[in-house]
Amino acid sequence: MPNPLLTPSPLPFSLPPFALVRDEHYPEAFDRGMAEHLAEVEAIATNPEAATFENTLAALERSGRTLSRVSLAFFGTSSSLATDAVQAIEEEYAPKLTAHWDAVRLDPRLYARIEAVHGDADSMAALDPESRRLVERHLTEMTVAGAGLDDDANAALRDLNSRLATLSTRFEKRLLADSNDLAVVVDDVAELDGLTAGEVSAAAEAASEHGHDGKWLITLVLPTGHPHLASLTNRDLRRRVHEAQGARGHRGNAHDTKALVLEIVRLRAERARLLGYPTHAGAALADSTARTPERVMELLGRMAPAAARNIEAERALLEEEAGQPIEAHDWAFWSERVRASRFAVDLAEMRPYFEAERVLRDGIFFAAEKLYGLTFHERDDLVGYHPDVRVFEVHDGDGSPFGLYLLDLYTRDTKKGGAWMNSLVHQNELLEQPHAVVVNNLNVPKPGAGEPTLLTYDETRTFFHEFGHALHGLLARVTYPHFAGTRVFRDFVEYPSQVNEMWMLWPEVLSNYAVHHETGERLPGELVERLVSAQSWGEGFATGEYLAASLLDQAWHALGVDEAAAVPDVEAFEAGALEKVGLANPLVPPRYRSTYFAHTFSYSYDAQYYAYIWSEVLDADTVAWFRENGGLTRSNGDRYRRHVVGIGGAADPLESYREFRGSDADIRHLLKRRGLD
């Protein structure tokens, strides 16, 4: 059978032909794709004609089509289908692909041609704005990557990049294995008191799949805090779940990640020095909207003391409610009791109103139609990469086909923790690819047959958030592949997704989807009012756990080479870093501890986990704009689409934001939202 990845997909919207793709197709396609791409780049670099935009930049954008196709198909699904075979391919090809991209972006001949195009003022002036930006971005990215280094330094850089790619893949593999190994087995269903029938059913289903018939299994999630901790009445089970969550990666077994963390930090520091930066944070932020670690620390440092004070105020209320001192595994449970007793809000009471299908169709899709004119129609004839994956065809406001949206909702052993969005096909005009294909992944426990999928409040918010990324990927309309979809600065990419969370509680949207799955009753208005009035409750904890992780990320990557080499112990370093910023609170551990901090040691958020709150400055300011200008209207959506989500990376994001808002973002909206003003 011919390898289906070696030719363009014949399916609608160029959806990868997953029904035909086998694991063994990927290595062949990667090898072929890299060879083709290198040949194309070689032809560009050795072109005897003087460098021009067309024969250098446009040619570079046209190159590597096979490699792009296989990479999007593989990495767009590898976190969702992390089988042993897929992980083996990932571990083998991560260093190979890193070496390949180094061969391109560190090629001095290619770099010289791009410099020549950039230096021709007349030719640059004649280009349209997106083309000029393409020249500037390629030059900046190659410079930051180290294209200007001499031959010896170039070789050393490639070696470091290859080793880091291997280590990051190993970190991710070990974390998944340890998370599966630490799943909590429950012998008595009475211990699950507080969970919904659907959650109990999902735990029974998971136990059966793992050979624990007649028992229940609580699978772990990526962040430190497990959602079940807010509901379980059995304190000992809460403790067991919390301890399992925090034990990942530092048990001294085959899945331990501590040595990987130390080596990754050390090699990143070495690479930064080679590139001319004192620290990895300095190198990572050189090409971002923040620009420097100092600006990041200024923002995080401004918030940390207020968050610590708010945590103490919240702790006092929790212990008053509990009638005794609390521990970390008690926090979420008693926080919900305070929310119920002090603010008359019980988030568990809302869960029957958050049935997943209604959240999707009557909430998420409804808001997208109101704001952007998009409509979604399920395509049962198109096959995803797993039986759980659903495929929706997207149409624009004028009825024209616009792209595909794939949804992979449920958790499984081969799916890595958390929630995310990936692109499977990038829209761009240059390669005549008019539509995008995107996928959302969540990790919602799958209930037993016949049981409804009821989402928690946080899962519902996460669903809206991830769909914001999907919209970003779908709506962007660009000329060049380099700027497609969410290919923007790391500390800008979370902004549109955070804005989309706003519509979850927007009255017009909420009243349309929040319907009791049994009675058909709409979510009572007075409950919503109480929820809105209580939104600042818990922000001390939420801000504290997030800042602790962000500052921990910065601390690891603020180390110079000698400092990184001198760190003997991961846990001791972590404790000292948190103590230094006043967030070493055992009741509020970081959202991610170092040994399972996949964002920074595997997911390319290294030194950039701050991006969520950095983007939230723009998000909070944008929410204020929508409220000031009439909310969920097509005119507002069109303006936001034109200046933000519709441009991909084709324009400077902060300049575009100023065009949208009429000014820079005002941080006071964020401080007020988080109770830090």
Side-chain angles (χ1 to χ4, degrees):
M1 171 182 164
N3 189 326
L5 295 169
L6 295 178
T7 56
S9 171
L11 295 178
F13 303 95
S14 300
L15 174 71
F18 292 116
L20 302 177
V21 175
R22 303 290 179 265
D23 290 340
E24 58 268 23
H25 290 141
Y26 284 112
E28 179 190 11
F30 273 128
D31 290 340
R32 176 82 65 83
M34 286 188 285
E36 288 178 2
H37 191 208
L38 286 179
E40 291 164 339
V41 170
E42 181 69 16
I44 298 168
T46 58
N47 188 338
E49 298 179 3
T52 65
F53 178 86
E54 186 60 35
N55 69 20
T56 302
L57 278 303
L60 189 59
E61 289 291 293
R62 290 190 179 94
S63 68
R65 298 187 71 170
T66 298
L67 181 58
S68 175
R69 184 166 57 247
V70 64
S71 295
L72 287 169
F74 181 78
F75 292 109
T77 60
S78 61
S79 292
S80 314
L81 289 175
T83 62
D84 289 344
V86 167
Q87 290 186 87
I89 294 170
E90 194 168 15
E91 189 161 2
E92 178 184 357
Y93 276 85
K96 290 182 179 181
L97 288 165
T98 297
H100 171 81
W101 285 109
D102 279 350
V104 175
R105 65 187 176 183
L106 300 181
D107 188 320
R109 302 165 302 170
L110 187 61
Y111 186 56
R113 291 184 70 86
I114 294 173
E115 279 189 309
V117 174
H118 185 264
D120 186 339
D122 291 338
S123 295
M124 285 289 286
L127 296 174
D128 63 86
E130 185 176 346
S131 298
R132 280 198 301 275
R133 180 167 173 80
L134 185 70
V135 179
E136 293 163 355
R137 292 305 305 146
H138 271 290
L139 182 62
T140 298
E141 290 165 12
M142 291 183 74
T143 301
V144 170
L149 298 175
D150 61 31
D151 290 346
D152 289 343
N154 189 300
L157 179 61
R158 294 183 190 215
D159 177 61
L160 286 169
N161 286 340
S162 177
R163 291 159 67 189
L164 281 165
T166 298
L167 293 171
S168 293
T169 302
R170 287 179 186 168
F171 181 96
E172 192 171 355
K173 182 178 179 180
R174 290 187 190 181
L175 175 55
L176 177 62
D178 217 26
S179 296
N180 289 334
D181 191 45
L182 280 162
V184 178
V185 179
V186 178
D187 297 322
D188 185 355
V189 70
E191 293 184 66
L192 299 178
D193 179 61
L195 300 188
T196 66
E199 287 172 324
V200 174
S201 170
E205 189 82 10
S208 178
E209 290 175 359
H210 288 77
H212 302 294
D213 291 333
K215 298 184 180 183
W216 295 263
L217 189 73
I218 298 177
T219 55
L220 305 189
V221 300
L222 192 57
T224 299
H226 195 290
H228 286 354
L229 296 181
S231 306
L232 289 168
T233 61
N234 187 301
R235 192 182 190 204
D236 184 61
L237 183 55
R238 294 202 305 267
R239 176 190 56 76
R240 288 173 59 200
V241 172
H242 178 75
E243 289 179 353
Q245 289 278 114
R248 289 168 293 169
H250 62 92
R251 295 189 293 155
N253 60 3
H255 311 317
D256 197 282
T257 62
K258 292 193 295 292
L260 293 178
V261 168
L262 292 176
E263 190 171 2
I264 288 170
V265 169
R266 181 177 61 79
L267 293 181
R268 284 175 177 169
E270 287 185 20
R271 182 175 62 183
R273 182 170 65 179
L274 191 64
L275 291 169
Y277 297 94
T279 66
H280 176 71
L285 300 186
D287 196 28
S288 68
T289 66
R291 300 300 185 198
T292 68
E294 289 75 22
R295 290 191 67 195
V296 171
M297 289 302 296
E298 180 183 0
L299 175 65
L300 301 182
R302 178 176 179 178
M303 294 182 169
R309 289 193 300 270
N310 289 354
I311 286 170
E312 283 305 301
E314 288 175 12
R315 179 194 59 78
L317 281 177
L318 297 182
E319 294 189 344
E320 182 179 332
E321 185 76 20
Q324 63 183 38
I326 64 168
E327 297 182 56
H329 55 269
D330 298 318
W331 191 289
F333 180 83
W334 288 108
S335 181
E336 290 311 306
R337 272 66 195 164
V338 169
R339 195 189 306 274
S341 65
R342 303 296 175 101
F343 301 98
V345 172
D346 181 358
L347 292 183
E349 183 185 347
M350 304 181 73
R351 190 164 187 180
Y353 298 88
F354 292 157
E355 192 273 321
E357 190 67 14
R358 289 207 66 135
V359 170
L360 175 65
R361 291 187 180 275
D362 299 334
I364 288 171
F365 287 171
F366 173 79
E369 182 174 6
K370 288 289 185 181
L371 200 60
Y372 305 114
L374 302 180
T375 54
F376 298 78
H377 308 279
E378 193 151 11
R379 292 285 303 264
D380 294 326
D381 59 315
L382 295 179
V383 179
Y385 52 84
H386 185 274
D388 284 347
V389 176
R390 301 167 65 185
V391 182
F392 297 85
E393 183 171 325
V394 188
H395 288 255
D396 207 352
D398 61 3
S400 61
F402 200 71
L404 292 180
Y405 170 70
L406 280 65
L407 175 62
D408 189 351
L409 184 66
Y410 296 113
T411 189
R412 53 182 172 268
D413 276 358
T414 57
K415 185 189 280 191
K416 296 168 185 177
W420 62 93
M421 167 267 185
N422 279 326
S423 292
L424 299 175
V425 176
H426 282 141
Q427 178 278 336
N428 67 93
E429 294 177 10
L430 184 72
L431 303 181
E432 299 180 345
Q433 179 56 55
H435 309 111
V437 178
V438 302
V439 56
N440 270 163
N441 272 269
L442 282 82
N443 267 283
V444 176
K446 190 174 186 178
E451 295 281 347
T453 300
L454 302 181
L455 305 179
T456 65
Y457 178 87
D458 283 343
E459 286 169 341
T460 304
R461 182 171 60 185
T462 298
F463 206 166
F464 273 84
H465 175 99
E466 294 304 330
F467 190 73
H469 284 304
L471 285 172
H472 198 179
L474 284 167
L475 289 170
R477 287 294 177 266
V478 300
T479 302
Y480 304 108
H482 200 76
F483 297 139
T486 57
R487 288 181 163 180
V488 297
F489 289 129
R490 176 69 69 189
D491 55 6
F492 188 82
V493 74
E494 295 298 336
Y495 155 53
S497 57
Q498 290 170 329
V499 167
N500 204 62
E501 294 178 29
M502 156 175 47
W503 308 118
M504 173 188 171
L505 293 180
W506 198 266
E508 183 181 356
V509 179
L510 187 67
S511 65
N512 199 58
Y513 78 84
V515 176
H516 197 286
H517 74 101
E518 292 178 330
T519 67
E521 173 196 8
R522 297 198 178 276
L523 187 66
E526 61 273 16
L527 179 57
V528 178
E529 291 173 7
R530 294 198 302 269
L531 175 65
V532 171
S533 67
Q535 276 188 305
S536 62
W537 168 250
E539 281 297 334
F541 177 92
T543 305
E545 69 158 3
Y546 169 77
L547 289 178
S550 298
L551 288 160
L552 183 59
D553 176 40
Q554 290 297 308
W556 279 119
H557 296 114
L559 299 175
V561 173
D562 294 340
E563 294 170 311
V567 176
D569 181 79
V570 169
E571 290 166 291
F573 178 85
E574 180 178 292
L578 296 176
E579 184 70 39
K580 185 177 180 180
V581 296
L583 292 173
N585 189 333
L587 295 179
V588 186
R591 183 167 176 78
Y592 303 102
R593 305 209 86 121
S594 303
T595 55
Y596 51 91
F597 203 164
H599 280 76
T600 195
F601 293 115
S602 185
Y603 294 172
S604 302
Y605 274 73
D606 39 292
Q608 297 186 77
Y609 188 64
Y610 75 90
Y612 290 91
I613 206 156
W614 187 269
S615 296
E616 197 178 344
V617 175
L618 301 176
D619 158 35
D621 193 60
T622 299
V623 169
W625 181 89
F626 271 101
R627 287 176 176 155
E628 294 162 3
N629 289 276
L632 190 71
T633 67
R634 277 295 303 278
S635 60
N636 285 344
D638 288 345
R639 180 180 178 87
Y640 187 65
R641 179 177 179 172
R642 183 169 62 254
H643 292 294
V644 179
V645 290
I647 63 172
D652 180 272
L654 295 186
E655 288 181 8
S656 298
Y657 185 81
R658 282 189 286 270
E659 290 175 4
F660 160 71
R661 187 65 163 104
S663 63
D664 288 325
D666 188 339
I667 194 176
R668 289 177 296 179
H669 296 299
L670 171 62
L671 298 177
K672 182 178 181 180
R673 171 193 288 183
R674 293 228 172 212
L676 302 175
D677 52 353

